[in-house]
Each structure stands twice: as structure tokens, then as C-alpha cells.
Amino acid sequence: MYLMIISPTVVLLCSRAFSKSFVVALWSVCVCLLYPNSKIVATAMTKKQASLLLKEKIQKELMKMSPRLASHIKEIKTSQNECEVVFENGSSFICCVAGEQSRGIRSTVLLVDEFRLVKKLTLYIEIYKCNWMNYWKAKCVNY
């Protein structure tokens, strides 16, 4: 997790059942709590796959492990069209598809699940927007 904080780009290459999703979810929550008004966008090939990080790790595991964390979360949206965690300090964690449908979404942190499957041009455009458009040093993380 330390390297995820100090490096502008991190790629996690891990085998199955290595807790990579848990570590990324924990790190994302830490960033949202420590940096007010940060915006983390988690992308994947499908919206269902992208929303698993929010639903399974943040909502079902981390919030149950820490009531204190749950008290810092203002709202959780897990509908078909919207998948987002809004924190009390203005930070948010949003899930979307890595593709043309998600153009225009800005972020301070970009998470790309199974980035080897994402079209490289789309990925480079998203990383460019992540690095260029934000007020604090963006961390683009692939998990």
C-alpha cells in the first residue's frame, strides 16, 4: 500500500485469491478519507465487474469490519444505472465501464480492473485525463 501512495502508476500482477481486490478497496477508502474531495473511478470491461469492488469489498467487508468507516460514508448508490459511494468529506468512489460510455468522467484516481482486456487507446485517454485534469497528484492504479 505504501507504493500505491508514493508512485504515480502501480500495476498489481497477482494470482487468484491474493487479496488484490481487498487491498485496492482498502487503499481507495484510505485515499477518500485522507484527501477530501478526491474522486476515485473504478473501471472494468462491464459495469457489473466494476461494481463488485464497491459492493463486495467496501460495502460487505470493510464497512462491516469498521463501524467508524461506515460513519464517514454519507451515501451508497448501487442501482443499475449508478454505482457510487459518497463520503462525508466530499470524496467519492464511482464504478463505470472502461469504454466510450464513460467518456467525460474525471477523476483523481483511476482504477482499471483486468487492464489487459481494456482497449489500449481508451485506457491511455483515461489515464491522460486522470493525470492532466486534477488538482492533486493523480494516482492511476491498475489492479
Side-chain angles (χ1 to χ4, degrees):
M1 284 184 50
Y2 173 73
L3 288 175
M4 294 169 79
I5 292 170
I6 65 167
S7 301
T9 303
V10 175
V11 177
L12 300 177
L13 298 173
C14 305
S15 63
R16 296 186 54 75
F18 201 74
S19 297
K20 57 190 170 288
S21 294
F22 183 82
V23 169
V24 169
L26 181 61
W27 177 82
S28 298
V29 167
C30 289
V31 169
C32 285
L33 292 174
L34 294 173
Y35 299 98
N37 299 313
S38 60
K39 188 173 178 183
I40 297 179
V41 174
T43 63
M45 290 300 293
T46 64
K47 189 160 191 158
K48 182 181 178 185
Q49 184 181 358
S51 67
L52 283 176
L53 190 64
L54 185 154
K55 292 177 185 174
E56 296 296 321
K57 299 302 175 188
I58 295 175
Q59 192 173 23
K60 290 185 179 173
E61 289 184 36
L62 290 175
M63 287 179 66
K64 288 186 179 175
M65 292 168 83
S66 173
R68 184 79 140 185
L69 168 62
S71 71
H72 287 284
I73 293 177
K74 183 178 184 178
E75 181 181 12
I76 297 179
K77 303 173 191 173
T78 57
S79 67
Q80 185 76 13
N81 298 327
E82 210 172 6
C83 193
E84 179 179 13
V85 176
V86 180
F87 290 83
E88 291 288 338
N89 66 358
S91 296
S92 61
F93 182 93
I94 301 170
C95 300
C96 64
V97 178
E100 294 294 319
Q101 308 91 308
S102 300
R103 292 189 71 178
I105 296 176
R106 302 291 189 253
S107 66
T108 52
V109 176
L110 176 65
L111 303 172
V112 184
D113 189 13
E114 299 289 345
F115 77 100
R116 64 183 172 77
L117 301 175
V118 177
K119 288 183 182 177
K120 296 306 177 221
L121 181 59
T122 303
L123 180 61
Y124 295 140
I125 290 169
E126 294 302 317
I127 290 174
Y128 172 77
K129 285 192 297 188
C130 182
N131 281 317
W132 180 255
M133 300 299 291
N134 298 295
Y135 61 93
W136 65 278
K137 188 179 180 185
K139 307 277 190 221
C140 298
V141 179
N142 301 305
Y143 70 97

